[in-house]
Amino acid sequence: MEKTWRWFGKKDKIALSMLREIGVEGIVSALHDIPNGEIWTEEAILDLKNYIEAAGLRWSVIESLPVSEGIKNNAPNRDQLIDNYIVSLENLGKCGLKTICYNFMPVIDWIRTDLEYKLEDGTSTLFFDKIKFAYFDILILNRKDADKEYTSEELAKVYELDKTITEAEKEQLIDTIIVKTQGFINGNIKAGDQNPVAIFNRLLAVYDNIDKNELRENLRYFLNRIMPVCEKYGINMCIHPDDPPFQMLGLPRIVTNEEDIRWILDAVDNPHNGLTFCAGSLSTGLQNNVPELARKFASRTHFVHLRSTETLEGGNFIEASHLEGRGHLIELVKIFDTENSKLPMRVDHGRMMLGDEDKGYNPGYSFHGRMFALAQIDGVMATFQHLNK
């Protein structure tokens, strides 16, 4: 597989020259300065493409060309937003960019409650604490009927936490869940927005009457509209699994397990309608056997995210070592190397280590932590290639 790296554009504190030195071959990036729903021009695309190529690398994957909320919730301007998306796809195709990672998660992208969870070895990682999240959901958002989605034992722990949590800790929880993990990836809320909780609640309210079936149909409509331009330019659309892959905040989730993935691929049965196989997202769902999913969907996978998680008691989960956890990345490398070996691959969500914590990197996107993970996976890939000679 091609060794790629998620890079957040010219403002990224990690320079392309650093990536070239550590063996990265392709770049995963996007035009992050363009608001969701607006057209990506050829000029803007070529500017970034040429910048990447001048560093001796190639722009391998777009992550992401964001799907606007109005497309997901069938707003009155849905068709205009899709028209804009099609023009952006045309411009990407004209510039020779053919792999588009996107997601169809309503309102919020990936969810964590701790961005610097300390480990015994001195490194830190991302963590999801279900009780902290339930506290945010029930007592900060005050979401209607939120308490009905948790067990009596979980509710007791939420109200016990309420006795000791400080105002600063509440603010940190808000910042972690709906600001820091979202703002740097074309999220709906960004740093500096006033009263993010009120903004978030307004966004959630739009989906009050949208269930899983309706969201699925909105995805089908979107895919049917864009497939002709994908066929014309050979563009592969790769939907990313929900993270985590289960219902949260009363929102519908439609990319959580084998049945969901099968539905999407069959609903628009076109080879350009494919999957981003994110082992990390899928591994947080106890319903998922990740290697089994890889075997079943390798042929419709166009992009691979190699990271792993470990599920813990009480609904908690943590990012695992890239050689451990429920992602089974060693086995995945073997599967994809056998079934679809030319795919772009990137390691994901590396630990903070060796001074990463002082560099201001985006959450989950450290330099040393991801470099260490890339070295681990590079060694695994080299081993299989050697054994298969």
Side-chain angles (χ1 to χ4, degrees), residues 113 128-162 165 170 173-174 177-178 197 200-201 204 248-250:
T113 57
F128 178 83
D129 184 311
K130 188 172 183 182
I131 299 306
K132 281 187 179 180
F133 183 79
Y135 182 92
F136 167 80
D137 191 10
I138 298 167
L139 296 180
I140 294 179
L141 290 183
N142 294 306
R143 186 170 63 86
K144 182 181 178 182
D145 294 329
D147 57 335
K148 295 179 181 178
E149 297 178 14
Y150 302 94
T151 67
S152 57
E153 182 181 359
E154 289 167 343
L155 291 173
K157 291 179 180 178
V158 165
Y159 289 104
E160 192 64 30
L161 175 61
D162 190 44
I165 192 169
K170 293 178 190 178
L173 204 52
I174 294 167
I177 296 173
I178 60 175
V197 170
F200 193 69
N201 273 323
L204 289 177
M248 307 186 77
L249 299 166

Side-chain angles (χ1 to χ4, degrees), residues 175-220:
D175 193 48
T176 295
I177 296 173
I178 60 175
V179 181
K180 277 190 176 148
T181 57
Q182 310 300 315
F184 70 95
I185 48 171
N186 298 80
N188 293 310
I189 299 173
K190 59 185 182 299
D193 284 346
Q194 298 298 309
N195 201 345
V197 170
I199 297 172
F200 193 69
N201 273 323
R202 286 196 296 271
L203 292 166
L204 289 177
V206 175
Y207 289 87
D208 280 349
N209 298 311
I210 297 177
D211 62 13
K212 179 173 183 173
N213 288 332
E214 186 170 350
L215 188 62
R216 276 180 164 181
E217 290 305 322
N218 292 344
L219 173 60
R220 191 205 306 257

Side-chain angles (χ1 to χ4, degrees), residues 32 76 103 130 169 176 208 235 276 314 378:
H32 293 290
N103 77 69
K130 188 172 183 182
E169 288 169 336
T176 295
D208 280 349
I235 293 171
T276 294
D378 196 16

Side-chain angles (χ1 to χ4, degrees), residues 287-299:
Q287 72 275 20
N288 294 322
N289 180 316
V290 180
E292 182 179 310
L293 292 176
R295 291 187 188 94
K296 290 182 176 179
F297 297 114
S299 65

Side-chain angles (χ1 to χ4, degrees), residues 228-276:
V229 72
C230 292
E231 290 177 339
K232 180 178 179 180
Y233 290 100
I235 293 171
N236 290 325
M237 297 296 296
C238 327
I239 194 165
H240 189 286
D242 298 330
D243 185 5
F246 40 80
Q247 182 174 312
M248 307 186 77
L249 299 166
L251 294 167
R253 294 289 219 184
I254 60 172
V255 199
T256 66
N257 57 23
E258 179 182 348
E259 191 271 334
D260 284 345
I261 296 169
R262 183 74 65 192
W263 186 94
I264 292 165
L265 299 181
D266 288 347
V268 180
D269 191 10
N270 185 307
H272 297 291
N273 171 31
L275 176 67
T276 294

Side-chain angles (χ1 to χ4, degrees), residues 6 29-32 34-40 45 59 61-68 71-72 84-92 99-103 185-186 222 226 235 237:
R6 192 169 191 187
S29 195
L31 302 184
H32 293 290
I34 297 180
N36 293 0
E38 294 190 11
I39 290 171
W40 289 18
I45 294 165
W59 191 357
V61 180
I62 310 302
E63 185 178 351
S64 297
L65 178 57
V67 179
S68 301
I71 296 174
K72 298 173 188 176
N84 289 355
Y85 201 97
I86 288 170
V87 174
S88 295
L89 285 176
E90 287 177 331
N91 290 337
L92 287 165
T99 304
I100 316 292
C101 173
Y102 72 104
N103 77 69
I185 48 171
N186 298 80
F222 166 70
I226 67 172
I235 293 171
M237 297 296 296

